[in-house]
Amino acid sequence: MTTPTSSQTALMANAIRALAMDAVQQANSGHPGMPMGMAEIGVALWSRHLKHNPANPHWFDRDRFVLSNGHGSMLLYSLLHLTGYDLPMSELKNFRQLHSKTPGHPEVGMTPGVETTTGPLGQGIGNAVGMALAEALLAAEFNKADAKIVDHYTYVFLGDGCLMEGISHEACSLAGTLKLNKLIALYDDNGISIDGHVEHWFHDDTPKRFEAYGWNVIRAVDGHDVEAVDAAIAAAKKSDKPTLICCRTVIGKGAPTKAGGHDAHGAPLGDKEIAATRAAIGWKYGPFEIPQEVYAAWDAKEQGTHAEAEWNKAFEAYRAKYGKEAAEFTRRMSGELPANWAESAAKIIEDANQRAETVATRKASQQTIEGLAAALPELLGGSADLTGSNLTNWKASKPVRAAGDAENANPDHAGIQWGNHINYGVREFGMSAAINGIALHGGFRPFGGTFLTFSDYSRNALRVAALMKSRSIFVFTHDSIGLGEDGPTHQSIEHVSSLRLIPNLQTWRPADTVETAVAWTHAIAHQGPSTLIFSRQNLQFSARNDIQIANIAKGGYVLRDWNDDIPARKIILIATGSEVQLAMEAIEALAKVGIGARVVSMPCTNVFDKQDAEYRERVLPKGVARVAIEAGVTDFWRKYVGLEGGVVGIDTFGESAPAGALFKHFGFTVEHVVETAKSVLNG
């Protein structure tokens, strides 16, 4: 790309300022200050370093760009529009309006060129760590000494808010440990947040903090000097560590009375201030008017098309020499499962059924992962320090490590060694955001594990995964009071029900080895995120016929039916996880008091609710009394049992005691199930 002159550079930056203040003003909502303050940083990165193709936003070897401070979305929308993406001016004029491609915060899948959904501060940098990690691992796996097909950077814009959020510590600490040198973050150090000057509540020595993480830090860059930012990025690309470039900026740069203050942060500037800003920066054009010379200076279509064509040429040479690897790379980057996936999934489920073991579902999960790893080279596991407890590793798993083993080090990266299991450390939120980033990057089916009660730490990343429909898998073990002596701080009560309430998130709580295998294979094939909830304690295996096994994938099915030969009152027992065993045990006791019981196992309510009405009616026929049994809060189950039905559950926190004593204490006994059923039937 021909380097623009200084006068062109000024026009390019001011075009961003004008579009940002005009769009926010027209919407009467938004954040003009950050885009105006980071305009020159945008020019330096997007016109001189970013490898991308506006004509093909999904070209694999593009650099990834993440706007972690997503409230400044008009910066990204301006850059996408100006460089030639399919984002016309009409969409900028429709900023923050219904059904526009320019929502208030960037959303992946809605706007071409947006790599991830950002807005909840700090998660963007967490996603970026996952993207950079995915790039490094793919490079270590597929690049050859004479052929480099994976070679791109992950760039992040972030601000004070991202750095105040704790997730930035989790994610950036991990990035430094793994020496992800193709991760470059540009920090908008403007000293302002919504409440005003951050020095009163954020006085960290940020450069020292990142140096302590093991990052390369470039200090005190003038964020309004395109040449200085350009030089800093060039230096960062030579580092063997991730880099933080600290850019001093003025929020709302160019606004005569509001620049440098919090008034420019999250509100329109107003017509009077915008007019004064136009005069101050010498912008002679009207609202949403961009001169052709500015479009010409920004246009990245020709360069992007050339860059992609060069990569395609290199990939064809790679394919000619390494055909097997090229085919595998193409499959994985397309997100397609192996051609024999259906057969592999069926075999995994069949093996679980044949084992017929009574084991904890966390152990059943590990057994399933063994089969998945053999069938899916893209499987990338991990754990937030609890590998030995949540059993997310497998026999052939290899840990991801930074430099140290010269034999396995990748010379094109900072010595990262290929692996398929990540030790995330005690960083549940950071892990979950990184998993989302890996899934969005492509090439892997990532999962990570921790205890269910710590899903609270991860929750916003789970929600954003659901919003993005990213193919992330979150494994949560130690699912209830069944974990025993660790007590109420670790015993999940409300967690499963609350996860089920998140739209687009499938939550599975299987009852034994077979349901666990089905849950895993369903999650792998699902075009969206899943949570898999497993027990610490052993759960009884239940025998099933082929139809029942097939129906597990429908989220709920009849595991044990009543005997129609016995003229008895009838009731349906709905249960999940460890409580399915209790429901099965209650059948005989209910029969002795003249009650015929059907047991419905419902490992995934989200999937069951999407079945057709005829199937749901067959499983849960109208007019038949119902009792739900789950070691968790009761209110959720009213949607299935009604106000007249019964729920055996827990609406308090747990206690410290052995699991057996706790289940008895909280009423998870055959006797209590029988009494609840009788109470429901007797009205």
Side-chain angles (χ1 to χ4, degrees), residues 78-211:
S78 298
L79 290 166
L80 293 170
H81 169 76
L82 292 167
T83 55
Y85 285 79
D86 184 17
L87 194 67
M89 186 66 81
S90 58
E91 292 292 348
L92 273 62
K93 292 179 179 179
N94 211 23
F95 178 55
R96 287 188 166 221
Q97 304 308 301
L98 187 64
H99 303 316
S100 76
K101 292 184 179 180
T102 50
H105 294 84
E107 296 182 33
V108 68
M110 180 173 289
T111 312
V114 171
E115 301 283 2
T116 182
T117 297
T118 56
L121 293 175
Q123 285 197 63
I125 181 63
N127 297 159
V129 170
M131 292 176 182
L133 180 53
E135 191 273 345
L137 291 174
L138 285 169
E141 183 176 358
F142 287 100
N143 284 356
K144 306 294 183 182
D146 60 345
K148 187 187 296 186
I149 60 168
V150 182
D151 185 20
H152 54 268
Y153 287 85
T154 300
Y155 295 100
V156 189
F157 283 1
L158 49 76
D160 291 308
C162 293
L163 296 179
M164 282 186 260
E165 291 285 359
I167 188 176
S168 69
H169 164 78
E170 297 181 24
C172 295
S173 172
L174 179 64
T177 301
L178 295 177
K179 298 185 178 180
L180 299 178
N181 68 314
K182 288 200 165 184
L183 174 63
I184 298 174
L186 293 104
Y187 167 33
D188 178 31
D189 184 12
N190 61 37
I192 296 292
S193 67
I194 289 177
D195 281 356
H197 292 272
V198 301
E199 63 195 40
H200 303 296
W201 49 85
F202 182 57
H203 203 243
D204 300 10
D205 189 329
T206 297
K208 285 185 179 179
R209 170 185 161 190
F210 275 75
E211 286 170 350

Side-chain angles (χ1 to χ4, degrees), residues 396-535:
S397 60
K398 179 179 174 60
V400 174
R401 294 288 184 265
D405 184 344
E407 182 179 349
N408 294 325
N410 176 9
D412 295 320
H413 292 77
I416 195 167
Q417 301 171 24
W418 179 86
N420 51 16
H421 188 275
I422 303 165
N423 296 103
Y424 286 100
V426 188
R427 303 181 178 104
E428 295 89 353
F429 194 6
M431 173 183 72
S432 300
I435 287 171
N436 289 342
I438 293 168
L440 292 167
H441 180 278
F444 294 102
R445 293 293 282 115
F447 71 90
T450 186
F451 289 175
L452 177 57
T453 191
F454 303 141
S455 65
D456 286 338
Y457 288 149
S458 304
R459 188 173 184 86
N460 203 256
L462 307 184
R463 184 179 187 273
V464 175
L467 178 63
M468 299 188 294
K469 299 181 181 178
S470 65
R471 298 180 70 184
S472 308
I473 300 175
F474 306 99
V475 175
F476 297 118
T477 67
H478 295 60
D479 67 340
S480 71
I481 58 171
L483 67 85
E485 292 84 347
D486 275 345
T489 58
H490 285 53
Q491 292 165 4
S492 296
I493 302 298
E494 75 281 13
H495 298 79
V496 179
S497 288
S498 67
L499 291 174
R500 290 174 179 138
L501 297 177
I502 300 176
N504 301 331
L505 181 66
Q506 292 192 352
T507 296
W508 290 82
R509 187 175 183 241
D512 66 0
T513 57
V514 177
E515 288 192 4
T516 297
V518 172
W520 258 113
T521 55
H522 198 284
I524 291 291
H526 179 49
Q527 298 295 320
S530 300
T531 58
L532 305 178
I533 316 296
F534 300 126
S535 73

